[in-house]
Amino acid sequence: MSSLVKEDLQKKLFKPLSQNLYEFIEIEFSVQDRYYLCVSVTKNEEVKIIMVKHYRIGLDEKYEVTKKWSLNDLQMIDGKEADTDNPFFDLHFKKVYSLEAYSCASKYAFARTVNKLNHAYLKKDLQIVNFDSTYINDDSIWSSNNKDCLVLMRICFYAFNLVCLSLCPLPL
């Protein structure tokens, strides 16, 4: 589902703006409408953070840019609490925007993407606080291009070992 939404966002909103959509997450902003927080790169290699409202008119999907910021203006991403599994975070520009992601995993996906694009394009000292750095930085053992693939692979390995051990006969 999310890949279809990403493809639709790219085609209807970002391509006409000459931007490439890298990541988007659904955020809880309004009860009636859906909102997405998107990270894109322009042809001039400027990283943008864009809040998009998603609505329908008949059978047609529509997207409207409601807020737009430059990554250069972002001072800090505050994950609120690194020790708890919560979807709340703050984006610190000249003003602080308190947001709620759809899930804690999507909050981390957003922070990872912003961090990666910051290192690729700006190389500025961006503060990412109150996040578990193990899941944010690319140099950690848990990071991969397939996001949480290594974690899943490890869980499968342990489950397979448990199944094998449970099938072994016990000596009497």
Side-chain angles (χ1 to χ4, degrees):
M1 175 77 173
S2 67
S3 62
L4 294 175
V5 174
K6 185 175 183 180
E7 187 178 306
D8 201 36
L9 274 166
Q10 177 67 39
K11 184 174 82 174
K12 291 181 179 175
L13 185 66
F14 289 95
K15 190 173 183 179
L17 295 173
S18 299
Q19 296 181 17
N20 189 17
L21 177 62
Y22 272 82
E23 182 71 63
F24 81 99
I25 63 169
E26 187 172 345
I27 56 173
E28 304 288 331
F29 195 71
S30 167
V31 176
Q32 295 173 325
D33 299 309
R34 275 194 162 151
Y35 282 84
Y36 302 115
L37 193 60
C38 306
V39 184
S40 65
V41 178
T42 67
K43 283 189 175 182
N44 300 332
E45 296 187 343
E46 187 178 354
V47 181
K48 298 287 187 183
I49 299 171
I50 300 172
M51 187 182 296
V52 175
K53 179 181 176 181
H54 176 211
Y55 57 95
R56 288 188 181 147
I57 297 178
L59 296 175
D60 198 23
E61 305 285 331
K62 296 286 185 183
Y63 303 99
E64 176 186 329
V65 174
T66 58
K67 292 191 187 307
K68 184 189 273 189
W69 306 278
S70 173
L71 180 58
N72 202 25
D73 298 331
L74 181 63
Q75 300 159 357
M76 179 172 66
I77 303 175
D78 182 357
K80 302 282 192 170
E81 297 174 36
D83 298 340
T84 61
D85 189 21
N86 74 45
F88 301 100
F89 65 103
D90 291 340
L91 296 178
H92 292 252
F93 294 97
K94 287 181 181 175
K95 181 181 171 187
V96 177
Y97 295 89
S98 294
L99 301 170
E100 180 183 355
Y102 183 73
S103 68
C104 186
S106 63
K107 173 178 84 170
Y108 272 86
F110 176 79
R112 268 193 305 269
T113 301
V114 169
N115 190 37
K116 183 190 290 185
L117 292 176
N118 177 51
H119 287 301
Y121 293 100
L122 287 178
K123 296 173 181 55
K124 78 174 205 169
D125 185 28
L126 177 63
Q127 294 181 12
I128 300 178
V129 298
N130 294 320
F131 281 90
D132 188 340
S133 63
T134 306
Y135 298 106
I136 296 294
N137 298 322
D138 278 339
D139 58 350
S140 70
I141 190 171
W142 298 106
S143 69
S144 75
N145 290 336
N146 296 325
K147 303 227 184 330
D148 297 324
C149 182
L150 289 175
V151 175
L152 183 60
M153 192 169 60
R154 219 176 224 186
I155 291 170
C156 290
F157 177 74
Y158 289 133
F160 179 74
N161 283 342
L162 287 172
V163 169
C164 287
L165 286 173
S166 67
L167 294 176
C168 291
L170 292 173
L172 296 174

